[in-house]
Amino acid sequence: MTTTVDNGAAPARAEIGSARLRKEDAHLITGRSRFTDNMVLPGMLHLAMVRSPYAHATITNIEVSAAQASPGVFAVLTGADVAEEQGSLPNAWPVTPDQKAPNHPAVAVDEVAFAGEIVAVIIARSASAARDAVELVDVDYAELPVVMDLEEAFTDKVLAHTTLESNKSATWVFDSAEAGTGTSIADALLNSDVVVERTLYQQRLIPAFMEPRSTVVDPTGEQITMWSATQIPHILRLMLALTLGIPESKIRVIAPDVGGGFGGKLQVTPEEVITVLAARRMGKPCKFTETRSESLQVGHHGRAQVQRLKIAATKEGIVTGLDVNLLADMGAYLGLITSGIPVLGAFMYNSIYKFPAYRFECNNIFTNKVWTDAYRGAGRPEATFAIERMMDELAVELNMDPLELREKNWIKHTEFPFTTVAGLEYDTGNYEAATAKAVDLFDYQGLRAEQKRRRDAGEPVQLGIGVSTFTEMCGLAPSRVLGSLNYAAGGWEHAQVRVLPTGNVEVVTGSSSHGQGHETAWSQLVADRLGVPFENVEVLHGDTQVSQRGLDTYGSRSLTVGGMAVLAAADKVIEKAKVIAAHLMEANEDDLEFTNGAFTVRGTDQSTGLGEIAFAAFSAHNMPDGVEPNLDSEATFDPVNFSYPHGTHLAAMEVDTETGQVTVLKYVCVDDIGVVVNPMLVEGQVHGGLAQGIAQALYEEAVYDDAGTLVSGSFVDYLVPSAPDLPHYITARTETPATSNQLGAKGVGEAGTIASTPAIVNGVLDAIRHLGVKDIKMPCTPSRVWHALQEAKTVGGVQ
């Protein structure tokens, strides 16, 4: 449930700002959706993967004869069978020139480095026949020592790969004194009145999208056509070409309906590569769809960091420096952008605060677990959690209200644009307004009074108040900045807008939707800009043959980058149509005005509509000399800056000191995401983001045993909350438009996830800190809370 606060009068514009129902929902809720696993092609074969039960071992022998003889089996492929053609899965973000990485085969040849790694592939007539044959493959392994603990892996006492001399992949450092963006952190720590030092832990998380990953490959046409449940059809196409040595023009990738991603489908997977190899070898279409257990075990995980932090301040509470030292768990391999995730966070640890000195150091470390990569927020939730936890710890040290401490240090709205100690330029923001609105909706003082009453009465259910004031960098771009960080791709996005002879409009977008509502939002953008009915706009996406150029969807970049490309293309349509309209009306172009879908000669009632112009261009009977007969236009948008949404989240947390049970009593979030296109889509993104952030704080954790087996490999053990587990939300917005795009939008897809986790954990600790509890590792389960309370009693001398 949610309570949405009236955020003021809707804009005068017809579509932008309107809460349109999603166009996409009609086919999704009536069973007309087309997911990859729905694909059935003539003669199609099915794949199943033989996976290692060991986290680290050498492969000494594979016996496939029994599986090969199994009914319905066409072939069994081992790593040795495909070694010459499978290449190594790509890492697109080598964060340092000396970054170390093992070869990453789709099918292991000699050595496995995590439990679940593929060692053989069954190709069969049916999925059930393929799965049955998996049990008949006999693999001999020689077990090797495993390293599962990140801090132990840092010591190099046990190596995750026999081919590497160290578990350290890369060390990346940012120092404000060296960069010229701030002063020396060593001096700040030495000369400050107060230095608070803490070690925090980011547990592993599993994206747990609704639709398991699935891939279908048809090799029988002029092109290899792949359907995949992916967020990145364009990047996948390019990486498949580079990895397998296939001309890019011979690969077509289609992302049909995709049931969620959260970064978990931002990958080039072993299974996609294998399905291409199998289809080419057999000359028939092949399909692989993972089971839910496979999805949890071998789909990449997120987070997984040890955060060692020092924050320095004066005795009045003015922060003077922040020192961050990270150990980041890469897992066994580097995925597409694995190594860059901590680097994204590096620019956000200073958050909304005016730190004079800042130093960040990250060591990327290999372990014998499945690799990590992007998960909703990708580096920024980790950074926000750390700084917001540290601000609360500093407030405790100074005996100061946590909101008062934050207000002393945040950037004031009159100081924008503001260049941070990390070197980013925040263009706009108003942290005071967002916080004031949140405090009012939350009844901050009233809840503080209730907290005091419960403490004074010694009630078993204590109340805590959690604070999280955040900003984030999203709209992944600009290309030059990404290039300076050694990221292989750019940050631009591409779009086409085509006005058909009937006056209807087709929009082709390079951003690929997996639940965000692109078809609805893009229709609203174009309907407003071109003055055509919302219903007359068709949005095409997710097919590299339809949308030839694009960089896809992740990092809250859809609207702030992809949507701006759509608007730029629409503007070109108007300029193109103006030339034809002037010719048709025998008027001067400078005398024309374009409003509500028509050109009017200024000061007259003479006008012609966009549909009439489109048909005139189609017939081409009366065109100006040198003008092509269509209104089709395309544009590429590359932002000049990131966008910086921000907000304040407040959580009232009840903790039962007798059982450890934690309950969210009240949750308020006020976000500033700039100009809103569709408030209904925004609410959906906020609700989903809050669910995932709260889940990290209270429920979710990927757990391995000492041997490297994932013991939370099903939804029985990996707790994904459902609606009854989540609180009633009170949501509201403030608005300071971004200056990095013409609409003023900032991005919303990850905000809820980024802000909510520290709000919840700070609230839990605030409820029981007076009882001696100083920290609880996430997730704050009843067991962990109860044990923390018992330990505090013991330390305090009370048995």
Side-chain angles (χ1 to χ4, degrees):
M1 295 178 63
T2 184
T3 300
T4 303
V5 176
D6 183 5
N7 295 287
R13 292 162 293 192
E15 286 295 341
I16 294 177
S18 299
R20 280 280 192 179
L21 293 175
R22 297 199 328 165
K23 284 186 172 182
E24 298 89 333
D25 289 344
H27 78 271
L28 289 171
I29 65 178
T30 56
R32 293 183 287 116
S33 52
R34 192 187 192 198
F35 295 97
T36 302
D37 194 40
N38 298 141
M39 295 295 303
V40 178
L41 300 178
M44 186 170 70
L45 304 178
H46 296 260
L47 309 186
M49 308 301 167
V50 182
R51 300 184 183 274
S52 169
Y54 299 106
H56 197 195
T58 55
I59 301 169
T60 59
N61 186 58
I62 302 180
E63 179 53 60
V64 302
S65 56
Q68 184 70 69
S70 181
V73 171
F74 280 69
V76 181
L77 303 178
T78 67
D81 294 327
V82 297
E84 297 302 317
E85 55 185 319
Q86 66 176 332
S88 179
L89 292 169
N91 171 245
W93 202 336
V95 293
T96 62
D98 61 348
Q99 173 178 285
K100 306 295 191 300
N103 186 59
H104 188 179
V107 185
V109 180
D110 301 309
E111 181 179 330
V112 293
F114 69 95
E117 187 164 2
I118 299 167
V119 296
V121 185
I122 309 293
I123 307 172
R125 173 67 68 191
S126 67
S128 59
R131 288 194 293 267
D132 288 345
V134 165
E135 305 299 324
L136 302 177
V137 177
D138 188 10
V139 185
D140 293 331
Y141 300 93
E143 289 188 69
L144 295 168
V146 299
V147 58
M148 306 302 295
D149 181 80
L150 187 54
E151 292 169 290
E152 179 188 350
F154 183 66
T155 68
D156 286 333
K157 291 179 180 178
V158 177
L159 296 179
H161 290 271
T162 60
T163 56
L164 298 180
E165 297 179 352
S166 170
N167 292 322
K168 300 177 184 67
S169 175
T171 299
W172 193 89
V173 177
F174 177 89
D175 190 306
S176 62
E178 295 178 2
T181 58
T183 56
S184 164
I185 187 63
D187 290 346
L189 295 174
L190 181 65
N191 298 319
S192 297
D193 298 325
V194 179
V195 176
V196 176
E197 184 173 356
R198 297 287 186 270
T199 299
L200 306 176
Y201 295 88
Q202 285 276 328
Q203 78 270 39
R204 275 183 167 250
L205 299 178
I206 301 174
F209 28 70
M210 287 185 292
E211 177 204 13
R213 297 173 305 162
S214 182
T215 302
V216 174
V217 174
D218 184 358
T220 60
E222 290 298 313
Q223 293 177 304
I224 296 171
T225 301
M226 170 185 282
W227 292 262
S228 185
T230 182
Q231 297 175 221
I232 52 167
H234 297 90
I235 294 174
L236 177 56
R237 179 194 188 204
L238 172 62
M239 291 301 176
L240 286 172
L242 293 174
T243 301
L244 298 176
I246 303 171
E248 190 178 357
S249 62
K250 293 298 183 182
I251 302 174
R252 177 186 183 186
V253 175
I254 302 170
D257 291 313
V258 177
F262 315 122
K265 292 173 182 171
L266 200 174
Q267 199 58 256
V268 178
T269 69
E271 292 83 358
E272 286 164 330
V273 170
I274 290 167
T275 307
V276 172
L277 295 177
R280 294 179 77 194
R281 184 164 296 212
M282 304 305 296
K284 293 177 178 291
C286 287
K287 176 195 285 188
F288 171 77
T289 300
E290 68 185 3
T291 65
R292 180 59 70 180
S293 293
E294 285 180 301
S295 177
L296 296 176
Q297 181 187 33
V298 301
H300 78 248
H301 295 171
R303 312 290 189 254
Q305 294 180 359
V306 176
Q307 303 171 312
R308 298 164 177 158
L309 305 117
K310 297 176 185 176
I311 189 169
T314 67
K315 60 180 181 294
E316 293 81 20
I318 304 300
V319 295
T320 55
L322 181 65
D323 186 40
V324 179
N325 191 296
L326 290 190
L327 298 181
D329 189 352
M330 302 291 97
Y333 296 104
L334 298 182
L336 194 63
I337 56 173
T338 301
S339 42
I341 299 302
V343 175
L344 279 177
F347 298 97
M348 287 284 99
Y349 278 84
N350 52 283
S351 189
I352 66 174
Y353 307 114
K354 294 182 285 188
F355 281 99
Y358 172 56
R359 187 179 188 278
F360 173 94
E361 178 176 324
C362 176
N363 285 282
N364 289 348
I365 308 297
F366 291 115
T367 61
N368 292 119
K369 303 176 185 178
V370 70
W371 65 93
T372 58
D373 211 301
Y375 175 59
R376 198 169 191 168
R380 289 102 74 207
E382 297 92 313
T384 300
F385 177 81
I387 185 58
E388 289 304 288
R389 285 284 296 108
M390 291 303 287
M391 291 300 284
D392 258 35
E393 293 297 310
L394 180 60
V396 170
E397 185 74 19
L398 296 170
N399 193 28
M400 187 178 294
D401 182 272
L403 272 177
E404 180 188 352
L405 176 67
R406 286 166 168 83
E407 186 174 4
K408 278 178 177 283
N409 291 285
W410 67 39
I411 304 159
K412 303 301 187 288
H413 73 277
T414 55
E415 297 177 294
F416 289 96
F418 185 92
T419 300
T420 73
V421 73
L424 295 181
E425 183 180 283
Y426 295 175
D427 57 342
T428 63
N430 192 328
Y431 311 137
E432 304 99 302
T435 302
K437 194 166 193 173
V439 165
D440 181 57
L441 293 170
F442 191 67
D443 185 19
Y444 188 82
Q445 295 305 325
L447 285 166
R448 281 293 184 202
E450 172 62 13
Q451 179 186 50
K452 184 177 184 303
R453 187 197 68 76
R454 293 193 193 190
R455 286 187 181 181
D456 292 345
E459 293 185 4
V461 179
Q462 289 290 301
L463 178 65
I465 295 175
V467 178
S468 175
T469 50
F470 83 103
T471 189
E472 60 151 326
M473 53 187 280
C474 63
L476 194 60
S479 296
R480 289 182 180 181
V481 173
L482 295 177
S484 72
L485 296 172
N486 214 31
Y487 181 57
W492 52 266
E493 194 49 82
H494 185 77
Q496 295 175 295
V497 174
R498 306 193 289 240
V499 183
L500 305 179
T502 57
N504 288 1
V505 178
E506 288 181 339
V507 177
V508 181
T509 175
S511 56
S512 179
S513 176
H514 47 280
Q516 291 86 348
H518 290 176
E519 293 175 33
T520 302
W522 284 199
S523 294
Q524 290 181 267
L525 291 176
V526 171
D528 255 12
R529 188 55 56 96
L530 298 185
V532 299
F534 170 81
E535 295 77 12
N536 291 2
V537 182
E538 187 80 17
V539 178
L540 308 176
H541 62 89
D543 183 339
T544 61
Q545 192 154 291
V546 173
S547 170
Q548 294 93 347
R549 289 186 290 281
L551 284 174
D552 306 315
T553 299
Y554 40 85
S556 297
R557 70 191 301 273
S558 295
L559 178 60
T560 57
V561 187
M564 297 311 110
V566 169
L567 283 178
D571 287 340
K572 288 184 177 182
V573 166
I574 295 171
E575 291 305 308
K576 201 170 186 179
K578 179 187 280 189
V579 176
I580 303 173
H583 177 77
L584 294 175
M585 293 189 288
E586 299 181 346
N588 190 302
E589 289 180 39
D590 295 337
D591 293 332
L592 298 187
E593 294 177 339
F594 183 75
T595 55
N596 299 321
F599 287 96
T600 302
V601 179
R602 192 177 292 109
T604 76
D605 59 0
Q606 186 182 9
S607 69
T608 185
L610 195 64
E612 297 173 78
I613 299 168
F615 193 83
F618 164 74
S619 65
H621 296 163
N622 183 19
M623 291 287 289
D625 292 340
V627 175
E628 59 185 19
N630 64 72
L631 297 185
D632 299 351
S633 295
E634 59 184 292
T636 299
F637 180 75
D638 197 342
V640 297
N641 195 0
F642 297 95
S643 62
Y644 300 98
H646 69 82
T648 297
H649 289 219
L650 301 173
M653 305 299 298
E654 289 187 323
V655 177
D656 189 326
T657 59
E658 295 177 344
T659 65
Q661 180 64 43
V662 174
T663 304
V664 185
L665 178 66
K666 189 174 187 179
Y667 196 98
V668 168
C669 66
V670 177
D671 294 317
D672 186 330
I673 58 168
V675 174
V676 171
V677 173
N678 186 323
M680 187 175 295
L681 294 180
V682 166
E683 286 300 306
Q685 290 291 330
V686 170
H687 293 177
L690 291 174
Q692 288 182 271
I694 293 170
Q696 177 174 11
L698 298 180
Y699 300 110
E700 295 186 29
E701 182 177 23
V703 179
Y704 287 84
D705 65 18
D706 291 341
T709 300
L710 182 69
V711 297
S712 55
S714 74
F715 284 146
V716 173
D717 303 295
Y718 187 84
L719 182 54
V720 175
S722 60
D725 301 308
L726 296 167
H728 175 98
Y729 307 127
I730 299 174
T731 64
R733 291 185 299 278
T734 55
E735 182 181 307
T736 53
T739 61
S740 56
N741 60 76
Q742 62 167 300
L743 187 63
K746 292 183 177 179
V748 69
E750 295 157 305
T753 302
I754 290 169
S756 57
T757 306
I760 295 294
V761 175
N762 281 339
V764 171
L765 289 170
D766 187 56
I768 55 178
R769 194 185 292 273
H770 67 291
L771 299 176
V773 176
K774 295 182 179 180
D775 193 19
I776 301 171
K777 285 186 179 181
M778 295 188 291
C780 298
T781 61
S783 174
R784 285 184 175 170
V785 173
W786 186 86
H787 278 97
L789 286 163
Q790 303 316 302
E791 183 179 340
K793 286 181 182 180
T794 302
V795 172
V798 180
Q799 298 295 324

